[in-house]
Amino acid sequence: MSAFDLPWLVADIGGTNARFGLVTAPGARPSDVAVLPGADYATLPEAVAAYLAEHAGGVRPGAACLALAGPIDGDHYRLTNSHWSGSIRDLDVPYARLLNDFEALAVSLPHLAGDELVSLGGPAPEHGVKAVLGPGTGLGVGGLVPSVHGWTAIPGEGGHATVPVFEPREIEIVRAVQSQGLPHVVAEHLLSGPGLVRLHRALALVNGVTAPDLTASDIVARVDDSLCAETVEVFCGMLGTFAGNVALTLGARGGVYLAGGVLPRIVERVRASAFRTRFEDNPDMAAYLSEIGTVLIVAAQPGMTGAAAWLSQHARTELVG
């Protein structure tokens, strides 16, 4: 079997679940999609073997592209919130490639349209440099640059940049977080699922009130709780400033896309919040930012779409090599 042979295996692997699918033709969306609980398998190769045997009719893929939520070092991977680690070479596939999860999301961007995207303000995204960021377990950031041969993804660690605050109340919040043992507060500390919890706790300190320990899901769900509502509002405003910073850093005239597990649950609240105002609020570049569209990805499997797009783009260059 050569690396040209179809089908191709694609996957989007997080700390809890591993999503697998097959690509049966270059440019096609993944089919035969299945979600496997990571805890049910000791290793990634075991999960791959189970998917192929139980959900894909026992086919042998000619190539694979796997998007993983964790650091990648060449052929080696380590999931951030799972015990899985190892080398992609352990898979019985002629050609296999690893992508960071937000690198795969970046590659998916030109292939998303219609009801897979929800506008968060500004014009529709255009052709050009694109950025993607998303609060989930952490705060992922990536970019996508057009090139002669298609698109080039830019993985990054922008979520670990210092937290973007400039309003007096936000400065108070950061000081409250620092008083709880985080001397250097980075964006991910507040703009993520765990960040919502930390932000809620810090706001209680700033407001001088006692608040119960709540999960991120609890905070989002309690729309009639004033502290929870304020937490979400502050979260959206700070996220707008962070997204604007990312847009300026990358020159993302082709649009800023948001993803992750938090935002799809609060779409209308984000749209009604200060997110877009804060995105454009810059003393020197407000006009520039006003011309950049911001959209939320609500597609079911964008990571696998990106992995499939990566294989389609590179099939005739790297796979033949």
Side-chain angles (χ1 to χ4, degrees):
M1 174 176 284
S2 72
F4 250 127
D5 291 335
L6 292 161
W8 298 331
L9 172 70
V10 293
D12 183 4
I13 300 169
T16 303
N17 294 314
R19 297 168 175 83
F20 295 100
L22 294 177
V23 178
T24 57
R29 288 290 184 97
S31 61
D32 299 291
V33 174
V35 181
L36 277 60
D40 290 354
Y41 304 92
T43 66
L44 174 57
E46 286 186 23
V48 169
Y51 166 75
L52 293 174
E54 299 169 15
H55 301 278
V59 299
R60 294 189 60 198
C65 184
L66 284 65
L68 294 96
I72 293 170
D73 183 10
D75 294 329
H76 290 80
Y77 61 88
R78 177 176 56 81
L79 266 69
T80 302
N81 295 299
S82 169
H83 61 277
W84 286 357
S85 64
S87 170
I88 193 70
R89 296 179 183 273
D90 297 333
L91 301 181
D92 186 20
V93 179
Y95 178 92
R97 172 65 183 245
L98 293 170
L99 298 179
N100 170 269
D101 56 345
F102 266 79
E103 187 178 2
L105 270 176
V107 177
S108 79
L109 301 183
H111 306 277
L112 302 176
D115 61 4
E116 295 177 316
L117 301 171
V118 174
S119 174
L120 295 179
E126 301 177 353
H127 184 79
V129 176
K130 300 176 181 295
V132 61
L133 58 103
T137 304
L139 178 60
V141 177
L144 192 69
V145 179
S147 65
V148 174
H149 301 293
W151 296 88
T152 300
I154 306 172
E157 294 295 340
H160 298 281
T162 300
V163 65
V165 296
F166 65 86
E167 292 188 351
R169 189 155 184 77
E170 293 171 350
I171 294 171
E172 289 184 73
I173 290 168
V174 169
R175 287 174 178 160
V177 172
Q178 289 173 326
S179 73
Q180 295 175 318
L182 279 175
H184 189 157
V185 183
V186 302
E188 184 175 274
H189 289 154
L190 298 181
L191 300 178
S192 62
L196 266 172
V197 175
R198 190 175 284 116
L199 186 57
H200 180 259
R201 190 181 304 123
L203 269 170
L205 286 174
V206 170
N207 292 345
V209 300
T210 301
D213 290 332
L214 301 176
T215 67
S217 295
D218 292 334
I219 294 166
V220 168
R222 296 192 178 191
V223 294
D224 296 325
D225 182 301
S226 60
L227 185 62
C228 290
E230 184 182 8
T231 299
V232 172
E233 180 63 31
V234 171
F235 176 92
C236 291
M238 292 175 63
L239 183 63
T241 296
F242 181 78
N245 289 345
V246 172
L248 292 173
T249 301
L250 291 179
R253 301 296 292 271
V256 174
Y257 296 71
L258 289 95
V262 174
L263 299 181
R265 291 180 284 172
I266 56 171
V267 177
E268 293 307 318
R269 295 171 75 181
V270 177
R271 296 177 76 172
S273 74
F275 169 82
R276 181 69 196 190
T277 300
R278 291 281 296 268
F279 177 83
E280 297 182 15
D281 189 1
N282 183 283
D284 303 312
M285 301 297 288
Y288 179 95
L289 289 166
S290 71
E291 297 176 356
I292 297 176
T294 49
V295 294
L296 174 63
I297 299 171
V298 293
Q301 308 289 352
M304 287 204 297
T305 298
W310 193 96
L311 281 174
S312 295
Q313 178 174 320
H314 292 269
R316 297 190 179 278
T317 55
E318 294 201 25
L319 297 189
V320 177

